[in-house]
Amino acid sequence: MTMSPQHAARRRMYRRRRWTVGIIAVVVLALIAAAAFVVITYADANNGIHRSSIAGLTGPEQNTGESNILIMGLDSRVDENGKPFPQAIYDQIHAEDASVGGYNTNVLMLIHIPANGGKAVGISIPRDDYVDFPDSPDGVDKGKIKEAYGDAMDASMTKLTNKGVAEADAYQQSRTAARQSTIKTVSAFLGGVRIDHFVEVTMAAFYEVAQAVQPITVCLNHATADTFSGADFPAGVQELNAAQSMAFVRQRRDTTSSDFDMTDLDRTRRQQAFMVSLAVKLKQASTFTDFGKLQKLIDVAKKDVAMDDKLDLLSFAQQAQSLAGGNISFVTLPIDHFDTVDGQSVNMVDVDAIRAQVHDLLNQPTPTAAPSTSPKSSSSGSGSSGSSGSSGSGSTPAPHPVYTDSSSPLQSGNVPCVN
């Protein structure tokens, strides 16, 4: 397919490779906070957030009591209306201005919430996995999974602009087309998994929500620094402010040490660890009883969060509270090998193996109720991983003493140590 120079330039802009952001944590926080607050501001929250329909994209709705929610974290330097962030945010997150960056979904995670109180699972999809694009946007049949959004958005913008649709309307319609294309791409890649809901978050949302709940406790196995993301951390347990949190989840290289090799998979692991740490903080913090903090989270959601038109915040409240309580574990889908396609580094994957793994994760047996026993002290039987620091309402749980690589599940409930 032959493109005009202007079309090709715009397509490059929508697909431009940029650092990822730890969107997963802010998504769950925003949903939990919004759900806790809807009793007072339900109409305000629901009416102000950008919505897109995904009905029927991946199969008929089912009343099974379970939910599959796709989290999409964009690398764009603009809000949900395409407007630039305040300059102070660009400065704090070590990101260029609105003229830089594309519309890649640099964070993709499927959160499966089973019926009957089973443990939820978060499945991280590496952003550079080389996959099929069911919609073939701009005539492209395959590419990095993160590029499905930008390619579809560009194709839609071109079509609508040529029809004379007003720019603001074309932009919002194209964002919807991009979300729908990404959902179909992820569903097909995972083996036809039904996706019930989606939540999309921008970089600014992460920073502004981190501001509302800072500091966040994390643990690192190594001292590390990175001039690109602004990361500069000692080893061990430490508390991060909002700007440091942004650097923590964006870092994918170490610029000070030749023997410490970080990758995108380490960054994905950090995002998972940050989400676990955030859940720990939410159990201790006063976020849900602080009117000012909750109102700020709602305001952030209106500018920098989008979700499907069927995701009802009231009905989601109990599920979200369960996640905040630590009832979730995280896995990262495996990569078979690395390769280069059309000059770009990509992750080659065993699609059949991934689909089998996802099927098993989404169909774990429902837990049976444990026999009734006498109450035990919270300190008994804690084992070496420990939680001795969690007994007080204001104390910080001890970090998990063992680092597990990205091929092993990351369990919630305690602050984990990661690279």
Side-chain angles (χ1 to χ4, degrees):
M1 181 182 69
T2 302
M3 300 185 210
S4 69
Q6 294 83 1
H7 185 185
R10 186 166 63 187
R11 182 164 175 264
R12 286 194 298 272
M13 184 275 287
Y14 285 121
R15 297 182 59 180
R16 189 168 294 158
R17 177 188 177 108
R18 288 290 151 193
W19 297 313
T20 190
V21 58
I23 299 299
I24 303 159
V26 70
V27 167
V28 173
L29 173 59
L31 287 176
I32 293 168
F37 201 37
V38 291
V39 174
I40 303 173
T41 60
Y42 177 69
D44 180 43
N46 275 295
N47 291 338
I49 297 175
H50 287 77
R51 301 278 188 165
S52 291
S53 174
I54 61 170
L57 286 181
T58 60
E61 294 184 24
Q62 297 185 24
N63 186 23
T64 60
E66 64 179 29
S67 295
N68 292 325
I69 306 170
L70 182 64
I71 308 301
M72 298 187 286
L74 296 186
D75 68 349
S76 61
R77 270 62 167 172
V78 295
D79 65 18
E80 291 291 347
N81 292 313
K83 304 301 183 183
F85 303 146
Q87 184 58 47
I89 291 183
Y90 292 121
D91 294 341
Q92 289 295 316
I93 67 178
H94 289 262
E96 302 87 342
D97 61 24
S99 66
V100 180
Y103 286 86
N104 288 331
T105 50
N106 273 349
V107 174
L108 283 170
M109 172 181 278
L110 184 75
I111 295 182
H112 173 70
I113 303 176
N116 303 319
K119 190 164 187 174
V121 60
I123 304 173
S124 292
I125 306 170
R127 63 178 189 165
D128 290 338
D129 283 3
Y130 194 63
V131 303
D132 293 325
F133 291 161
D135 284 343
S136 301
D138 276 342
V140 179
D141 297 322
K142 296 179 72 70
K144 297 180 182 182
I145 196 166
K146 68 179 183 181
E147 296 173 340
Y149 192 109
D151 281 358
M153 185 172 177
D154 170 64
S156 178
M157 282 292 291
T158 300
K159 180 179 179 180
L160 293 172
T161 300
N162 289 341
K163 286 184 175 181
V165 177
E167 183 177 356
D169 292 336
Y171 182 82
Q172 291 301 333
Q173 291 178 42
S174 296
R175 292 290 290 260
T176 290
R179 294 159 189 154
Q180 293 173 342
S181 183
T182 298
I183 287 168
K184 286 190 283 187
T185 298
V186 171
S187 174
F189 175 56
L190 300 183
V193 170
R194 189 187 75 257
I195 296 177
D196 303 293
H197 304 290
F198 81 88
V199 181
E200 171 188 300
V201 186
T202 69
M203 298 176 73
F206 177 89
Y207 175 74
E208 292 185 303
V209 173
Q211 275 188 312
V213 299
Q214 62 185 344
I216 302 295
T217 303
V218 300
C219 179
L220 286 172
N221 291 319
H222 309 279
T224 181
D226 169 34
T227 56
F228 291 89
S229 65
D232 188 3
F233 305 118
V237 180
Q238 54 208 284
E239 291 190 332
L240 307 184
N241 61 28
Q244 291 170 324
S245 297
M246 197 73 178
F248 178 83
V249 296
R250 293 182 69 202
Q251 185 183 3
R252 63 183 175 92
R253 58 170 69 81
D254 185 287
T255 56
T256 64
S257 174
S258 60
D259 58 357
F260 182 35
D261 184 24
M262 289 188 66
T263 69
D264 260 357
L265 296 183
D266 288 309
R267 179 167 50 182
T268 297
R269 196 63 162 182
R270 280 200 187 186
Q271 294 164 3
Q272 295 170 348
F274 192 88
M275 186 173 178
V276 170
S277 295
L278 182 59
V280 171
K281 176 63 181 284
L282 286 173
K283 291 175 67 177
Q284 302 171 340
S286 60
T287 303
F288 299 142
T289 59
D290 187 321
F291 184 91
K293 286 183 179 180
L294 288 170
Q295 184 60 61
K296 181 176 181 179
L297 295 178
I298 294 295
D299 292 341
V300 169
K302 291 179 182 180
K303 293 190 285 95
D304 296 308
V305 175
M307 56 188 68
D308 64 280
D309 57 1
K310 298 294 185 181
L311 183 56
D312 183 85
L313 295 178
L314 273 176
S315 64
F316 189 69
Q318 290 183 330
Q319 292 176 324
Q321 293 286 2
S322 175
L323 297 186
N327 192 31
I328 187 170
S329 61
F330 300 93
V331 299
T332 303
L333 295 181
I335 294 169
D336 187 74
H337 64 279
F338 302 103
D339 207 339
T340 301
V341 177
D342 295 332
Q344 294 192 81
S345 298
V346 300
N347 305 330
M348 306 305 293
V349 297
D350 184 333
V351 175
D352 291 337
I354 282 177
R355 290 174 177 174
Q357 179 182 1
V358 170
H359 177 273
D360 291 344
L361 289 169
L362 301 189
N363 293 277
Q364 298 182 63
T366 302
T368 56
S372 176
T373 58
S374 300
K376 295 182 180 180
S377 168
S378 60
S379 62
S380 64
S382 59
S384 60
S385 61
S387 57
S388 59
S390 62
S391 58
S393 60
S395 60
T396 300
H400 195 290
V402 178
Y403 169 74
T404 55
D405 64 29
S406 60
S407 64
S408 304
L410 182 66
Q411 302 297 326
S412 62
N414 205 1
V415 176
C417 287
V418 295
N419 282 341

